[in-house]
Amino acid sequence: MTPWTPADMPALDGRTAIVTGANSGIGLPTVLELARHGARVIATARSEAKGEEAVAAVRRAVPGARVERALLDLADLASVRAFAEGVDEVDLLINNAGVGMTPRSLTKDGFELQFGTNHLGHFALTGLLLPKLLARPGTRVVTVSSDAHTRGRLDFDDLTLERGYGRMSAYGRSKLANLLFALELQRRAERAQADLKSVATHPGATATNIVKVGPLKPLLGLFLLSPETGALPSLYAATSPDIRGGEFVGPKLRLLTPSADAASEELAARLWDVSTELTGVRFDRLAAR
């Protein structure tokens, strides 16, 4: 079988895509290929300068690309709401941005940074954009998780991790939450008979800014995937006609099996309820019919 490449992507003319964390890592090649195939792409970043650099890079590679930058800080729910209010339409939402292995700190809303940014920010963004997603046919939400989700544990009595913090375990917890969210979103879309597919991805060990290992980074880089390769699961999940909602796509576009915790419908429902309470964002349009 010939390996799938971005050359196999369908034409995306008339489709609007949003990519969070678009200025670096796998976000930038994701934006580039979506734009190359005709999509209008809203590329979000936390700073105007970085967003402008990303947009300029895409336009140099794809003259005439329909790409625009937008400010979005997923660690600030006010920023999430302001961004969502400014979106006119969306067909593809790629929840890509993330922070990892950071010292313990809190978001502007008082959430542990990795959980607040990687999960709660994207949960709120998806919920706020849901009416616009459901107004379009064949929409997709792609949420970037990781195999690190297997090292995550959810303690609902200590979501700020005041009783103990580990950089990697906190990252794994946020990626577990990403996967739980993606799978639960698909279940709720199916129950509501909504024309929406939710897909999770794992890019593989990729050379991105999320990997911070000091002087060892150049050596480690010899064993890491390029951002272009790491972006393939997201691009495939967002555009392939063969993808099904609820799938978990990994490196080489293999379908992965979520951990027992990630597959738990009970745990997913509880996380959904807690996330709704913490963010104040409801997915009323996905109420079962």
Side-chain angles (χ1 to χ4, degrees):
M1 180 180 296
T2 303
W4 187 93
T5 74
D8 297 307
M9 290 169 57
L12 299 173
D13 303 84
R15 307 283 275 176
T16 296
I18 295 173
V19 181
T20 66
N23 59 288
S24 65
I26 66 174
L28 186 54
T30 299
V31 172
L32 177 63
E33 292 300 338
L34 291 170
R36 194 191 305 279
H37 286 79
R40 170 196 173 208
V41 188
I42 302 173
T44 81
R46 287 181 293 175
S47 78
E48 290 186 2
K50 290 182 178 180
E52 191 57 45
E53 288 177 7
V55 167
V58 172
R59 288 176 177 162
R60 285 194 299 270
V62 186
R66 300 178 63 218
V67 58
E68 55 201 74
R69 63 174 173 82
L71 284 175
L72 173 61
D73 183 354
L74 290 159
D76 180 357
L77 290 179
S79 174
V80 175
R81 289 182 179 278
F83 169 76
E85 288 174 1
V87 172
D88 55 352
E89 62 183 23
V90 56
D91 301 273
L92 308 172
L93 172 61
I94 302 183
N95 291 324
N96 166 78
V99 297
M101 285 70 82
T102 57
R104 183 180 180 275
S105 60
L106 303 179
T107 69
K108 291 186 179 180
D109 302 284
F111 310 131
E112 185 273 313
L113 181 64
Q114 296 190 69
F115 182 75
T117 302
N118 300 352
H119 168 61
L120 290 175
H122 282 126
F123 177 92
L125 176 64
T126 306
L128 292 168
L129 291 177
L130 186 65
K132 294 165 187 176
L133 283 162
L134 296 183
R136 307 282 288 178
T139 54
R140 296 190 191 184
V141 176
V142 176
T143 301
V144 178
S145 181
S146 167
D147 63 352
H149 82 274
T150 60
R151 297 188 285 276
R153 296 292 181 271
L154 279 169
D155 181 355
F156 290 100
D157 295 323
D158 186 25
L159 287 178
T160 55
L161 298 181
E162 294 179 358
R163 295 199 292 265
Y165 181 83
R167 297 186 186 198
M168 189 61 206
S169 60
Y171 179 69
R173 181 183 73 152
S174 73
K175 295 289 102 178
L176 172 61
N178 283 151
L179 189 47
L180 282 163
F181 166 63
L183 299 180
E184 181 65 10
L185 178 60
Q186 178 63 30
R187 294 185 195 103
R188 293 181 183 233
E190 289 176 357
R191 289 198 293 267
Q193 300 178 12
D195 187 11
L196 178 150
K197 291 181 181 178
S198 174
V199 185
T201 65
H202 163 45
T206 306
T208 70
N209 290 337
I210 208 169
V211 179
K212 304 182 188 300
V213 290
L216 292 179
K217 187 170 183 178
L219 180 60
L220 185 59
L222 296 174
F223 304 96
L224 297 176
L225 301 174
S226 69
E228 290 75 16
T229 300
L232 291 179
S234 292
L235 291 168
Y236 182 78
T239 67
S240 172
D242 298 326
I243 204 73
R244 294 185 298 178
E247 291 184 323
F248 183 25
V249 184
K252 299 183 179 179
L253 309 184
R254 293 172 177 160
L255 295 184
L256 305 178
T257 301
S259 68
D261 279 353
S264 168
E265 295 188 27
E266 180 180 358
L267 187 61
R270 185 175 183 189
L271 176 64
W272 190 285
D273 290 343
V274 169
S275 301
T276 298
E277 180 180 351
L278 291 175
T279 64
V281 175
R282 302 182 60 85
F283 288 65
D284 291 334
R285 294 286 299 275
L286 292 186
R289 293 178 180 176

